[in-house]
C-alpha cells in the first residue's frame, strides 16, 4: 500500500496521462484492479438474475433479446458439406436435415431452435451450456445423438478448489495440469427451481468432450460469461421507475377532483354532509363561506420525450442494438442513417455468428454428429477414418439479410457478378443457400418447364442466354413472311440447348 501511494504521488508530480491522476474530477473514480473472473464470481449470479427479471418485466429488454437472437440465427445457421461427390453430399445433407428434428433432448424444438436459444442465453447470461447426449440405436432416432440445453445457473460460480494430485476446479470447470478443460461439474437441478424435488447442492461431473460451452469472452483469461445487460441494467431499471412515476402522474392529472373549503362548524362533532357528486352540466349552489378548488398537478412539459430518447440511445449503445430495433421507433430514422446503423450492427452480428455460434457450437455438433452417423451405420462414407477431416469440412451459411431497398441491392449484386467482382457461389451463399443445390434445382425446373412448354424467364434477361430474344424475333418474322410451318426440332428435342 505504501508503494501504491508513492506511485500515485510520483504520477501526479510527473503528470502525463490525465486519466491516471487523482485530482478533484477523478477523486471518486476508484476502479477495481480485480480480474474479470473475480468480478464474475462475486457478481455474476446477481447480474444474471437482474437481466432475467428485466426481460420478464421490461418491454425494451425483452425486445433487445429477441432482436439479437433473430438476427444472429434467423431461420438457422446451416452447414453445407464440401464433399466432392455430389450424390454423397446430397445424401449427407438429407440425413442432417432429418436429424435436426430429433436434435433437442426435450423435444421442444429442432437444432436451429436450439441455436436461437443458445444465442438468447448468451445475450442474457453471457453463456450457454449444451450437453451432448448419446442415445441407443433402439431409441429410433435418425442418428442416435441429442443435445440438452443447460442454463448458466446450473454450473456453480462458487465451486473452486484444488484436486488431489494435479488439477483444480475453477468456477465449476475442472482443468488439468496444463490448463485444459477436462470436465464440468453441473448441479443436478436448477438452484432456483422449487418444483424439482432433487437435491440442490448435488453435482455431477460431465467430461468436457460431452459439453459445448458457448460464450463470448470480453477479456483475456475469462472463464465464464457475463450478461450483455451488465452495462445497461441500471439505466433500464431506473428508466422503468421513471416511466411508472410519469404514468401515475398522468393518471392522477386525468382524474377530476374537487376540494370544498368551508368555515369551521360551530360544533366540532357535528356530522358533515355527504360528499358532493357533480354531473355534467350540473349547477351546484354552495353554502355561504364555502369555496371549491381543484388540485394543480405538475407537468413534465417538453422534457419527457427528449429525456426518454437520449436515455434509450445510451441503453441501445450499451446493449449493442440499434435504437430502432430496441424501441420499434421508426419515426426518427431515415434511409441513410438507418442503413448506416444496420451495416454496423450486421458486421457485429456476422462476427458473432462465425467466431461464437459457428466456431463453438456448429463445428462441435457437426463433427460429433458425423462421427456418430458413420459409426451407427446411418450413412456410409468410404475411407472415413483415414479422410475424417476431408469429410467433416463444411461451410456454414447464415440466413440472408433483408435490406431496405432490395431492388437496388439485387441490381448492385448482379453488376458485381457480371464484372467478375463476385461469384454466383458467393452470392448464393450470402443468401443462406448452397450453390450446388440451387443449380440442381434450377436445372430441374428448366427441364420440367421445357417438357410442359413453359418459360417464366423475363425477355432479355441473362437467364435466357445470349441471342435468345433475337432468335425468337427471326422465327416470328419468317413465319409471317412465307406462312411455312416452323421447324420445331430443336424446341422438342430434350437433348438440345436448354
Amino acid at each position: 500500500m505504501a508503494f501504491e501511494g508513492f506511485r500515485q504521488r510520483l504520477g501526479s508530480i510527473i503528470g502525463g496521462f490525465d486519466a491516471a491522476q487523482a485530482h478533484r474530477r477523478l477523486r471518486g473514480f476508484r476502479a477495481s484492479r480485480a480480474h474479470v473472473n473475480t468480478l464474475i464470481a462475486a457478481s455474476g449470479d446477481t447480474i444474471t438474475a437482474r437481466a432475467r427479471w428485466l426481460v420478464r418485466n421490461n418491454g425494451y429488454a425483452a425486445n433487445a433479446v429477441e432482436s439479437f437472437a433473430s438476427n444472429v440465427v434467423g431461420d438457422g445457421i446451416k452447414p453445407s458439406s464440401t464433399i466432392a461427390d455430389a450424390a454423397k453430399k446430397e445424401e449427407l445433407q438429407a440425413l442432417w436435415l432429418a436429424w435436426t428434428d430429433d436434435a433437442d433432448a426435450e423435444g421442444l424444438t429442432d437444432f436451429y431452435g436450439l441455436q436461437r436459444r443458445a444465442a438468447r442465453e448468451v445475450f442474457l447470461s453471457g453463456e450457454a451450456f449444451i450437453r451432448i447426449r448419446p442415445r441407443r440405436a433402439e431409441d429410433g432416432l435418425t442418428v442416435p445423438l441429442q443435445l440438452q440445453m443447460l442454463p448458466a445457473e446450473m454450473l456453480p460460480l462458487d465451486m473452486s478448489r484444488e484436486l488431489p494430485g494435479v488439477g483444480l476446479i475453477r468456477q465449476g470447470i475442472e482443468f488439468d495440469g496444463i490448463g485444459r478443460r477436462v470436465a464440468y461439474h453441473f448441479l443436478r437441478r436448477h438452484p432456483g427451481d422449487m418444483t424439482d424435488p432433487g437435491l440442490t447442492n448435488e453435482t455431477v461431473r460431465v467430461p468436457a468432450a460431452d459439453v459445448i460451452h458457448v460464450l463470448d469472452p470480453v477479456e483475456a483469461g475469462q472463464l465464464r460469461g457475463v450478461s450483455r445487460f451488465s452495462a445497461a441494467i441500471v439505466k433500464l431499471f431506473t428508466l422503468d421507475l421513471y416511466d411508472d412515476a410519469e404514468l401515475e402522474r398522468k393518471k392522477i392529472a386525468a382524474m377530476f377532483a374537487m376540494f370544498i373549503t368551508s368555515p369551521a362548524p360551530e360544533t366540532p362533532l357535528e356530522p358533515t354532509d355527504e360528499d358532493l357528486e357533480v354531473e355534467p352540466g350540473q349547477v351546484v349552489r354552495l353554502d355561504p363561506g364555502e369555496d371549491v378548488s381543484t388540485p394543480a398537478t405538475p407537468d413534465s412539459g417538453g422534457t419527457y420525450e427528449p429525456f426518454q430518447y437520449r436515455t434509450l440511445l445510451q441503453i441501445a449503445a450499451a446493449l449493442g442494438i440499434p435504437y430502432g430495433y430496441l424501441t420499434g421507433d421508426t419515426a426518427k430514422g431515415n434511409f441513410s442513417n438507418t442503413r448506416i446503423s444496420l451495416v454496423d450492427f450486421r458486421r457485429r452480428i456476422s462476427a458473432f455468428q462465425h467466431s461464437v455460434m459457428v466456431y463453438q457450437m456448429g463445428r462441435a455438433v457437426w463433427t460429433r454428429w458425423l462421427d456418430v452417423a458413420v459409426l451407427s451405420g446411418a450413412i456410409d462414407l468410404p475411407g472415413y477414418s483415414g479422410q475424417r477431416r476431408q469429410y467433416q469440412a463444411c461451410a456454414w451459411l447464415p440466413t440472408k439479410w433483408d435490406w431496405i431497398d432490395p431492388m437496388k441491392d439485387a441490381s448492385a449484386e448482379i453488376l458485381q457478378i457480371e464484372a467478375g467482382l463476385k461469384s454466383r457461389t458467393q452470392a448464393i451463399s450470402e443468401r443462406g443457400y448452397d450453390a450446388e443445390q440451387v443449380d440442381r434445382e434450377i436445372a430441374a425446373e428448366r427441364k420440367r418447364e421445357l417438357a410442359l412448354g413453359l418459360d417464366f424467364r423475363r425477355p432479355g434477361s441473362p437467364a435466357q442466354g445470349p441471342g435468345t430474344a433475337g432468335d425468337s424475333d427471326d422465327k416470328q418474322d419468317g413465319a409471317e413472311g412465307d406462312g411455312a410451318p416452323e421447324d420445331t426440332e430443336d424446341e422438342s428435342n430434350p437433348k438440345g440447348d436448354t
Side-chain angles (χ1 to χ4, degrees):
M1 292 300 293
F3 174 77
E4 181 68 21
F6 170 75
R7 189 173 63 83
Q8 289 183 355
R9 288 194 299 272
L10 180 63
S12 63
I13 295 172
I14 296 176
F17 293 104
D18 192 42
Q21 303 304 308
H23 46 60
R24 176 182 55 82
R25 289 180 296 168
L26 298 177
R27 188 168 299 156
F29 193 169
R30 294 182 175 86
S32 172
R33 289 185 172 85
H35 190 269
V36 64
N37 290 333
T38 303
L39 302 178
I40 293 175
S43 309
D45 288 338
T46 301
I47 293 174
T48 299
R50 288 176 174 175
R52 293 193 188 279
W53 185 93
L54 284 170
V55 170
R56 296 184 187 114
N57 296 278
N58 183 281
Y60 294 129
N63 198 41
V65 172
E66 295 303 325
S67 175
F68 179 81
S70 62
N71 277 275
V72 167
V73 177
D75 297 333
I77 306 175
K78 303 174 182 179
S80 175
S81 174
T82 58
I83 296 177
D85 187 337
K88 279 295 179 186
K89 175 180 178 179
E90 191 168 355
E91 180 185 359
L92 181 61
Q93 295 291 153
L95 181 65
W96 167 266
L97 183 61
W99 175 80
T100 56
D101 290 340
D102 299 331
D104 185 14
E106 298 178 358
L108 300 177
T109 185
D110 63 358
F111 174 72
Y112 302 116
L114 289 175
Q115 283 184 338
R116 177 181 171 276
R117 288 175 60 187
R120 197 174 186 276
E121 280 293 309
V122 171
F123 193 89
L124 250 175
S125 61
E127 59 188 351
F129 297 95
I130 301 169
R131 185 175 179 183
I132 301 174
R133 308 301 298 260
R135 300 304 189 194
R136 298 183 178 88
E138 55 266 25
D139 290 336
L141 302 175
T142 309
V143 174
L145 186 74
Q146 287 189 313
L147 307 173
Q148 179 185 9
M149 183 79 69
L150 300 174
E153 291 87 345
M154 296 287 286
L155 194 70
L157 281 169
D158 57 356
M159 179 183 284
S160 297
R161 66 174 183 268
E162 293 185 1
L163 298 174
V166 179
L168 71 161
I169 299 176
R170 298 176 61 190
Q171 296 182 345
I173 307 172
E174 183 179 335
F175 295 87
D176 63 10
I178 61 174
R180 293 178 302 187
R181 302 187 180 208
V182 296
Y184 291 80
H185 293 257
F186 289 103
L187 294 169
R188 286 197 177 275
R189 75 171 180 91
H190 194 290
D193 188 357
M194 297 296 105
T195 65
D196 190 340
L199 298 176
T200 306
N201 297 324
E202 185 180 353
T203 60
V204 58
R205 183 181 183 273
V206 181
D210 292 337
V211 177
I212 301 172
H213 187 188
V214 185
L215 79 160
D216 188 14
V218 295
E219 295 187 29
Q222 181 176 336
L223 300 179
R224 301 288 300 271
V226 61
S227 172
R228 292 207 175 194
F229 280 97
S230 59
I233 283 177
V234 175
K235 287 193 179 295
L236 268 170
F237 182 68
T238 53
L239 181 65
D240 207 17
L241 294 178
Y242 168 69
D243 252 354
D244 287 344
E246 185 67 19
L247 183 63
E248 192 67 23
R249 186 195 65 77
K250 289 286 188 184
K251 174 184 172 184
I252 294 173
M255 295 179 179
F256 183 80
M258 295 186 304
F259 297 93
I260 299 179
T261 305
S262 60
E266 295 180 0
T267 305
L269 299 180
E270 180 180 350
T272 59
D273 296 334
E274 295 182 357
D275 293 338
L276 179 63
E277 295 184 2
V278 181
E279 298 178 358
Q282 180 180 1
V283 177
V284 180
R285 295 183 180 276
L286 301 176
D287 293 335
E290 290 185 335
D291 187 21
V292 176
S293 62
T294 57
T297 56
D299 191 3
S300 57
T303 63
Y304 174 74
E305 187 161 349
F307 173 76
Q308 279 266 4
Y309 176 64
R310 286 297 165 187
T311 305
L312 288 171
L313 278 180
Q314 295 178 50
I315 293 172
L319 295 175
I321 303 290
Y323 169 81
Y325 280 16
L326 175 70
T327 64
D329 181 6
T330 58
K332 289 181 170 57
N334 55 40
F335 179 85
S336 298
N337 60 31
T338 299
R339 189 178 178 92
I340 289 172
S341 65
L342 282 182
V343 169
D344 179 68
F345 177 59
R346 288 174 177 178
R347 284 185 186 276
R348 298 185 185 189
I349 292 296
S350 179
F352 184 85
Q353 287 173 334
H354 293 283
S355 64
V356 178
M357 296 300 296
V358 169
Y359 189 84
Q360 296 179 12
M361 181 179 178
R363 291 167 64 250
V365 172
W366 173 261
T367 55
R368 185 67 173 268
W369 173 84
L370 197 53
D371 287 343
V372 175
V374 173
L375 290 173
S376 65
I379 190 171
D380 179 28
L381 298 178
Y384 179 79
S385 59
Q387 306 177 51
R388 184 170 177 266
R389 185 178 295 273
Q390 290 84 346
Y391 275 119
Q392 289 182 348
C394 73
W396 289 87
L397 309 177
T399 303
K400 72 180 182 70
W401 300 118
D402 292 320
W403 288 103
I404 301 173
D405 193 340
M407 177 74 73
K408 290 182 180 179
D409 292 301
S411 300
E413 195 166 49
I414 291 172
L415 289 176
Q416 289 176 345
I417 294 173
E418 292 177 348
L421 301 176
K422 176 188 284 188
S423 66
R424 283 185 62 254
T425 299
Q426 182 183 356
I428 294 173
S429 297
E430 290 174 356
R431 294 171 177 267
Y433 300 102
D434 178 74
E436 294 181 7
Q437 182 180 357
V438 171
D439 288 343
R440 287 195 297 269
E441 291 178 359
I442 292 176
E445 285 187 355
R446 297 278 168 81
K447 185 176 181 181
R448 185 173 68 250
E449 290 172 6
L450 183 63
L452 298 175
L454 302 173
D455 191 354
F456 298 105
R457 295 169 293 180
R458 179 171 54 86
S461 69
Q464 284 194 326
T468 305
D471 294 344
S472 299
D473 294 338
D474 292 342
K475 291 178 182 179
Q476 185 176 1
D477 292 341
E480 292 176 353
D482 56 14
E486 194 73 48
D487 185 6
T488 59
E489 180 180 356
D490 291 340
E491 296 181 3
S492 61
N493 183 7
K495 296 182 180 180
D497 183 14
T498 59

